Amino acid sequence: MPTIFEAVVIMGSDDDWTPDSIAHALPDAGMRMEFLRQLNTTPLSGLAALGKKWVKVITDLEGAVERGRALHAHQQQHGGQLPPQYTDVTELIVENRAA
């Protein structure tokens, strides 16, 4: 059974979305609060664009989840190694944080 996030993402066309379904699809309380803040402060003429923006956020997040799952599966099958198209930047991040 899909999570609420997954169920809303697979709903289909942009016409199926409502402010409530967008809010429920956002996986983080802070994101939901920001969406609702923007929803309440956007002029009526801008609501369609706002909805499209947040639907894109949701679909982008779902894509990232799928890429993360695929990466994790690859690492499990290959002893923790990254796929060849990825570059491990862990040391670079650690160096930048230390600087």
Side-chain angles (χ1 to χ4, degrees), residues 42-98:
T42 299
L44 291 176
S45 62
L47 289 178
L50 180 70
K52 287 179 189 226
K53 169 187 157 185
W54 282 96
V55 167
K56 183 176 181 335
V57 167
I58 292 164
T59 56
D60 288 352
L61 284 171
E62 180 61 19
V65 167
E66 290 305 317
R67 288 189 304 279
R69 287 179 181 148
L71 176 61
H72 184 251
H74 181 276
Q75 287 184 303
Q76 285 183 316
Q77 294 172 354
H78 297 93
Q81 295 298 312
L82 290 171
Q85 68 268 27
Y86 286 85
T87 303
D88 186 350
V89 294
T90 305
E91 288 184 31
L92 180 61
I93 293 170
V94 171
E95 288 173 11
N96 286 339
R97 285 188 175 178

Side-chain angles (χ1 to χ4, degrees), residues 2 4-13 16-17 62:
I4 291 174
F5 178 71
E6 292 165 333
V8 174
V9 169
I10 61 175
M11 283 175 54
S13 75
D16 294 335
W17 290 93
E62 180 61 19

